[in-house]
Amino acid sequence: MEGINITKLLVIAVLIVLLFGTSKLRTLGADLGAALKGFKKAVGEDASPTQNTAENQAAQQSVEKKDV
């Protein structure tokens, strides 16, 4: 067997469109995009608080030094 070529991929794509319909695929694509966007946002938020915490601690220490 020679593997999957472009012709086989096109046949599979046509069968998927016929089976599910374009509106269902469009909805599925939108849902997938929203999920990826949410995942990227969550990963970005996980990294940000760590940086913000370090910045906040440095700011609090400088304020404490000024108060003493």
Side-chain angles (χ1 to χ4, degrees):
M1 296 189 77
E2 59 189 61
I4 298 176
N5 58 20
I6 191 71
T7 308
K8 292 178 183 177
L9 287 175
L10 288 173
V11 170
I12 292 170
V14 169
L15 289 175
I16 290 173
V17 169
L18 289 174
L19 185 64
F20 293 109
T22 56
S23 62
K24 188 74 161 181
L25 291 176
R26 189 175 299 129
T27 305
L28 180 65
D31 291 343
L32 182 62
L36 288 174
K37 186 176 180 180
F39 177 75
K40 287 180 182 179
K41 184 178 178 185
V43 169
E45 288 175 355
D46 285 345
S48 297
T50 306
Q51 295 171 351
N52 289 339
T53 303
E55 292 171 0
N56 289 339
Q57 288 176 351
Q60 288 175 354
Q61 288 175 354
S62 65
V63 169
E64 289 173 359
K65 288 179 183 178
K66 289 179 184 177
D67 290 341
V68 175

